[in-house]
Structure formats: C-alpha cells, structure tokens
Amino acid sequence: MTAPSLRSSCVAFVGALAASAVDARGDDAPAPPPPVIAAPASVTDALILRIRGVADRPALAAAVAAELGVPVALAAEGAPCAAPCVDVVVDDRARATIVMVLAGDRYARTIELPAAAAAAAEVVALVVGNLARDQAGDLLAALAAPVTTPDAVAAPPAPFDGRLGSDAPAAPVLAPSAAPMPAPTAAPAPTPGPRLATHAGVGLVPPLAFDVERRHGPGGVTIDLVVGGRRRLASFNVAGVASVVTEDVTGTQIGGALTTAGSVRGSQIAGAIAAAGPVRGTQIAGAIAAAGPVRGTQIAGAITVAKAVDGAQLAGAVAVAGRDVRGAQVAGAVAIAGGAVDTQVAGAVNVAGRVRGLQVAGAVNVAGRVDGVQVGVVNVAGSGDGVSIGLLNVVRGGRTEVEATVDQQRIGAVVLRHGSSRWHNVYGVGGHLDGGLTDRTVDERDVWMYGLGMGPSWRRGATTFDLEAMAWHVVYGGEFGDELDLLNQLRLVVGHRVGPAAVVVGAAVNVYVTSDPTRDRIDARRMTTPGDDGVRVQVWPTAFVGVRL
C-alpha cells in the first residue's frame, strides 16, 4: 500500500471513530473542545491566531480556542496577520502584546505575565477572550456555529495543562486526507459559545442569589446584601459586606468591607479593603487598597499597595509600589517605591529605587539613584547627579572636604563641605582672638561663631566654584548673651587643586544683624558711644584665602 493511500485509510478510520462517538454521546452530551487547525483556513471556518515568542504555539492556541469556544487556525511562520486575526507576541521581559486585527480596525493590549507558566497561558487566553468578545462578538457567534469540512476531520485535543514551554503536549491538528471523506450522519454537538456576563441579579449570599445572564453585550446591575459573587461583571455591583468578581469589572464595584476582582476598568470602592488585578480607573479603600499595575488613581485611608503605578497613589499612612511610579506617590507617613519614581512625598520617610523628579519627606529621603531633587532633613542617595537639599546629605561618590580660611579682618574659619557634585552643605566654626594666640584671657573683645549653609557647585577641570549662603551665630567672650548677633554671608569660593590639596580664594558679602547697642561690627570693636537700642544692620564686603583638603 502506498504512503498516500495508507494516510487516507488512517484518516478515514479516525473519522469513523469520531462519528461513532457523536452517536454514542447523544444530544445532551457536552461538546468537544473546538479544534486547532495547523494552517490558516478561510475566515468562515476559524479565527486566525498568530503567536510569536512562545515555544509551544499549538498548546497556547488550544487554550485560546477553549476560552473563545470557536475553532482557531494557527498562522504559518512568517505569515501576515490578515483580518480577522489575533496576533500574540511574548517578549523576553514576560510581557505579552495582544493585537486584534479586524476589517479597518486594530485593538491592542499589553499585559504583564505571571511567573508561573500555567498562569501565564491562562492570562493570555482570558485577555484574548475579552478583546474578542468586546470587539468581535458577531464574528465569534458566526464562528461558533458547527462547520463541516469535507476534506479534513479533527480529533478532540488533549486537555491543555497551561504550560507555555516546549515540553507541553502539542494540540492535535487536522490531518489532510487524500480523498474527500463523507460527513458523519449524526448532527454534531453544538460548540460552547462565549462566556456569559451577569445582566441582572439580586440575593443574600451567592448560593441564594438569582442571576440573569446574557450571551452578548455588557452586563447589568447586581445587588447582594451580604456577599456577592460573580464570574464576570460589566457595569455595577454592590454587596453589604463583600463583592467578589473573579474575572473583570468594567463599571463600578462597591463592597462594605471587601471588594475583589481580576481586573477593574472603572472604579472599585470598599469601606475597608479593595483588591484587584490591573486597575485602569480609580480604586478607593477606607483602609487598604491593593492591586497589580495601576494606571489611574489609587487612594486609601491608611495603606495602598500596587505593583506599578502610572497615575497617582495616595495613602493616609503608607503607600507602597513594587516597581515604577510614573505619576505621584503621596503618603502621610511612609512612601516606598521599588523602582523609579517621578514625584514622591511623605510626611516622614521616602524610599525609592530611583528619583527622576522630586522626593520630599518631613524627615528622611532614601534613594538608590537621584537624578532629580531630594528635599528633607536627612537625604541619602546611592548615586546620581541630582540635588539633595537638607540638613544632612549623604551621597555615595559625592564630596567631603575640610577648608581653612582667613579674611582681612583676621577672622578665621574652618568649614566642612559635604554633598554631591552639584549641591553641597557647609558646616563651620570661626572667630577672632583680639589679643592673638598668645593671649590666654578670653574677654568680650574675642569673637566666636558657628554656622551652616548650602549652595550649588560647578567644576571645570581642576577648579571648583562654590556659591553658598551661610548664617553664623556670633558670640562675644565666653558667654552666650541674650542679644541678637547674626552674621549672614553670601560667599563665592574658588578652589584649584594642586596635588593632594587645593588653594582657595574667595569673596563674601557680609550682613550683620545685632540688637547689642554697644557693638559696631563683628571685628570685636565696641562703640565709644552706645548706639540705638533697636536692631541695627551693617553691610560690608570681605575677601579671604585658605587651603582645602
């Protein structure tokens, strides 16, 4: 027997078995899963599916066919995705881009895939099903009708276990025959249609709830006084205690204590806890709001948790994002972003992997890399070329320098300059001994001062330019008086590196504010005639030189 005749005989035998199985099953038996065709058929036979980036294309196609309830035809390698067609691309970052191509229109969606391979296949199939039912309901209804092909027969596919790897079982395909096969005499069992959405319902608890479901179009309104449980919802759901939708919510879901859903496109509100997969609209909870990716706004009275945020995340106490925050993250106490953040504001502590814009905290800011601005009492940055403004700035790879200077009034100062390459803090002590270093007597003619300041920095080769504003508290003699004695300086410091040290020159504008009627200027001179009893201001310039280590 030749190879073509042997193949035809095998196909005929399989067709006879399939026909006998239909007769034995009867009209009430469940329909077999829809077939997966190896090569594209006509658009009236099956929905064309092009899959790229997945090792076992037939296995994923079988999951999509089971989800849609219609025959699916796998496009050949390199073949275009001609309408009607669904194109699925999985990249190396575990993201799936799903595009539905219809006549004149394209509908796309990009999703993050879970780590488990079985769950990833289920998620892809669910999203393809949602797109198909939303955009091509009439087409699916036509494809769901039984189709008899005279030149091929399909064997029921093996149950799909959800694996995307190459070791997953391959879905059976239609075997071409050498000669036409007669169609079975028994009527084929109907294939299952699209999944149903709740149209209307009311009840006390899920076992006692009455639901009316519709095959096409959006759902309606469901109300449960205690616990509401639905597979799908397309508009509005209310529950006195908990509201549970296992797949998606396109409208609004409200629960007195807990709401949970696979996906929310509109709003989800809970008196205590709101939990969902992706949230594209608004999620509000009186205490805790938790979600996967959030593209809209997530608000919680106490704690809000999300995998990634593209909009805004607001919490009365704690806001946590597992990855990037592309909008704003605001928390009354603590804000944490595992990845990059554009704007992060917290009453106490901010923690971010990277700050692209602004990070403001009442106490402490911590970031792995700062390319924007940190404002807080204590700022910690692992790297970056941003600006950290605070009382204490710790920047890895930044600058820490000690500098000693003296001006023409013989007032010396020792300062510690610390910060990043673009912004620094300066802390200093200084003074003037009226009798010189040999005079061991400290009296009111001797001047002591301490202060701090901050400002920007610029570097040109071996030369550094520092512009800083400093405020010094001035003390005369060895006692702190009750008078106001404040020296404010705007300093320009130029340091040029020579070997291990740097030569420093600079100038300052001094503004001395005092309420002591006996003081003239800061150079330890007392006025012969006491001045006014009010606050007096003196302004003068100085120049100074020094060395920096």
Side-chain angles (χ1 to χ4, degrees):
M1 182 179 295
T2 63
S5 60
L6 177 60
R7 183 177 58 187
S8 300
S9 300
C10 292
V11 171
F13 178 68
V14 172
L17 288 180
S20 62
V22 170
D23 293 336
R25 189 168 52 240
D27 294 338
D28 296 332
V36 176
I37 305 172
S42 65
V43 296
T44 60
D45 294 338
L47 179 66
I48 297 177
L49 181 65
R50 184 171 69 171
I51 302 174
R52 290 173 290 170
V54 176
D56 194 345
R57 297 166 55 244
L60 181 56
V64 174
E67 169 70 19
L68 296 178
V70 300
V72 171
L74 265 176
E77 291 284 353
C81 191
C85 174
V86 176
D87 189 9
V88 179
V89 181
V90 179
D91 62 18
D92 55 1
R93 298 170 59 184
R95 292 185 306 182
T97 301
I98 302 168
V99 180
M100 170 161 284
V101 181
L102 299 177
D105 290 305
R106 295 170 60 90
Y107 304 91
R109 184 175 301 174
T110 300
I111 61 172
E112 300 284 344
L113 295 179
E122 178 66 16
V123 168
V124 171
L126 286 175
V127 174
V128 172
N130 289 341
L131 272 176
R133 277 183 282 274
D134 292 343
Q135 311 299 338
D138 295 337
L139 175 62
L140 286 181
L143 292 176
V147 177
T148 301
T149 56
D151 58 347
V153 63
F160 177 62
D161 62 359
R163 291 180 292 168
L164 287 177
S166 59
D167 57 342
V173 300
L174 290 181
S177 62
M181 294 278 302
T185 56
T191 57
R195 292 185 180 178
L196 307 181
T198 299
H199 177 55
V202 64
L204 296 177
V205 293
L208 302 179
F210 174 75
D211 294 338
V212 177
E213 296 182 334
R214 60 190 307 167
R215 184 171 297 272
H216 302 294
V221 177
T222 63
I223 299 175
D224 297 275
L225 301 180
V226 180
V227 178
R230 300 291 183 275
R231 186 176 187 181
R232 307 177 62 83
L233 181 67
S235 59
F236 183 80
N237 188 62
V238 177
V241 174
S243 177
V244 179
V245 177
T246 60
E247 294 187 11
D248 54 29
V249 177
T250 57
T252 301
Q253 185 183 34
I254 300 175
L258 169 69
T259 65
T260 178
S263 173
V264 177
R265 296 185 183 89
S267 299
Q268 185 177 234
I269 303 171
I273 299 174
V279 177
R280 298 168 183 83
T282 301
Q283 183 177 240
I284 301 174
I288 299 174
V294 177
R295 294 187 177 92
T297 302
Q298 188 183 36
I299 302 174
I303 299 174
T304 177
V305 180
K307 188 175 182 181
V309 179
D310 291 337
Q313 187 182 39
L314 310 175
V318 179
V320 179
R323 293 206 304 257
D324 294 352
V325 178
R326 301 190 181 278
Q329 186 183 39
V330 181
V334 179
I336 300 174
V341 61
D342 289 336
T343 302
Q344 190 178 46
V345 180
V349 179
N350 281 322
V351 179
R354 177 184 176 188
V355 176
R356 295 180 294 222
L358 179 65
Q359 187 183 45
V360 181
V364 179
N365 287 313
V366 179
R369 177 182 176 88
V370 177
D371 294 321
V373 179
Q374 283 182 314
V375 180
V377 178
V378 178
N379 299 303
V380 180
S383 63
D385 198 24
V387 175
S388 299
I389 302 175
L391 183 62
L392 178 61
N393 302 315
V394 180
V395 180
R396 183 180 180 182
R399 59 189 298 198
T400 301
E401 301 165 344
V402 178
E403 179 180 289
T405 59
V406 62
D407 65 11
Q408 75 267 25
Q409 293 178 274
R410 294 185 301 153
I411 297 177
V414 177
V415 300
L416 171 67
R417 191 171 287 106
H418 183 67
S420 68
S421 60
R422 297 177 57 188
W423 188 270
H424 67 277
N425 283 20
V426 58
Y427 316 91
V429 294
H432 167 72
L433 295 177
D434 185 64
L437 295 176
T438 60
D439 185 5
R440 298 180 178 274
T441 302
V442 178
D443 56 31
E444 63 180 8
R445 293 175 300 175
D446 298 323
V447 180
W448 306 91
M449 58 186 187
Y450 58 91
L452 57 86
M454 63 181 63
S457 302
W458 300 269
R459 185 181 297 274
R460 295 292 183 273
T463 304
T464 303
F465 301 86
D466 297 306
L467 180 65
E468 49 203 29
M470 290 198 68
W472 302 83
H473 180 215
V474 183
V475 180
Y476 294 96
E479 297 182 0
F480 288 85
D482 296 333
E483 303 293 342
L484 172 65
D485 292 294
L486 185 65
L487 175 64
N488 302 292
Q489 287 185 324
L490 180 63
R491 298 158 37 105
L492 176 62
V493 187
V494 180
H496 183 76
R497 177 67 60 178
V498 179
V503 177
V504 172
V505 296
V509 176
N510 301 276
V511 179
Y512 181 51
V513 181
T514 181
S515 61
D516 188 347
T518 66
R519 296 294 170 187
D520 182 7
R521 296 202 311 190
I522 195 177
D523 55 358
R525 292 181 297 179
R526 294 178 59 88
M527 296 179 63
T528 304
T529 302
D532 299 333
D533 292 338
V535 176
R536 292 177 294 113
V537 179
Q538 287 88 30
V539 180
W540 72 94
T542 56
F544 53 87
V545 296
V547 63
R548 176 185 300 168
L549 300 176

